[in-house]
Amino acid sequence: MPAELSEIERNIVFDYLIRGRVPVEICSRSGKCATVMSDKFSIAEKNVMVLLAPPDDVVSMAGSGVSVRFSYMGVALSFCAEMRMVEGGVSFVVPPVVTRESGRDGGADGKESPFSVLLFYESPSVSDDGTEFVNKRDVECAVRSDYGPLNSPSWADMPEEMKERASGIIRDTVRDMDGGIPPSSRPNRMFLIPAVRFALESSPPPEIPEVVFLNHERIVLGVSDGFPAGEGDEFAAWISFPMKRPLNERKVYVSFLVERIVASGCRRALVGRFSSIKLEDIRFLHEFSCGKS
């Protein structure tokens, strides 16, 4: 049964929705759905959300009831509202009742997501007068639960049609990464399986980073070729694990260096090795991935 959020929870979640950059799914009563990013919304007045210059599939829902679905820290939430046309776009009022959905979640694949990742990074930008500057950004990543990102990767996870090409990429990458390292000291490189699998997918690259692997040492993010990252670049992230209720969570702060980029076409997988993480968080991540937390 869907569970209603308390007023305090609702206010925190609503603030997160406006400030974040997360996929928001809007569905009409007829079953037609569209996905937009939450940073496209603005606040017209208290609890009134406005989407300016919406796509045509959203405009077509104006004048009818819609359901709005999104993810908060890996928990699927939804509310119902009346979509109305306003100058330049559409709007709806967030109702008093926001519910946690059972059987749904905010992972990129629609399956249950056991954690969420808020990524911090810098992006070079140019102002209207041509001045170059660094723009600090943060983005809520999608979690690819179909990858089992907390599980130990296995060759059996690789789709059959990818295996021949993937084996060559992994072999060459391991040889390059292990060059000069004595055989007895070479680390486990199984994290390359989800990295290569993501790079070889045939679907268009994601609009926001997708997490395909996480353990106590590394994180692997799938991105498009336009994402501003190179080998050696450093990123930071909050990794949040909801425990029992939407607002009860364990948060882990990490920084990581991109030690490898696996690329194919317009898809790239960033292999990040943690450069800063607390000892107790290393222990927590290790135990959580083993199902002990």
Side-chain angles (χ1 to χ4, degrees), residues 210-256:
E210 296 181 347
V211 183
V212 298
F213 175 77
L214 174 68
N215 71 1
H216 60 290
E217 296 177 324
R218 288 177 175 82
I219 185 170
V220 178
L221 301 174
V223 299
S224 71
D225 58 356
F227 188 80
E231 291 185 2
D233 287 353
E234 187 170 23
F235 292 80
W238 277 111
I239 307 174
S240 302
F241 297 82
M243 296 303 181
K244 293 182 180 180
R245 293 177 57 82
L247 302 182
N248 290 344
E249 61 186 5
R250 168 71 182 266
K251 300 186 74 171
V252 174
Y253 183 80
V254 301
S255 60
F256 61 90

Side-chain angles (χ1 to χ4, degrees), residues 236-290:
W238 277 111
I239 307 174
S240 302
F241 297 82
M243 296 303 181
K244 293 182 180 180
R245 293 177 57 82
L247 302 182
N248 290 344
E249 61 186 5
R250 168 71 182 266
K251 300 186 74 171
V252 174
Y253 183 80
V254 301
S255 60
F256 61 90
L257 297 173
V258 179
E259 66 174 340
R260 197 74 184 181
I261 296 178
V262 180
S264 177
C266 55
R267 301 174 67 87
R268 299 198 300 167
L270 311 180
V271 177
R273 176 174 49 81
F274 294 148
S275 55
S276 177
I277 180 174
K278 293 180 179 179
L279 182 60
E280 60 265 32
D281 290 334
I282 293 176
R283 185 180 302 110
F284 170 79
L285 285 174
H286 182 267
E287 293 180 350
F288 193 94
S289 64
C290 293

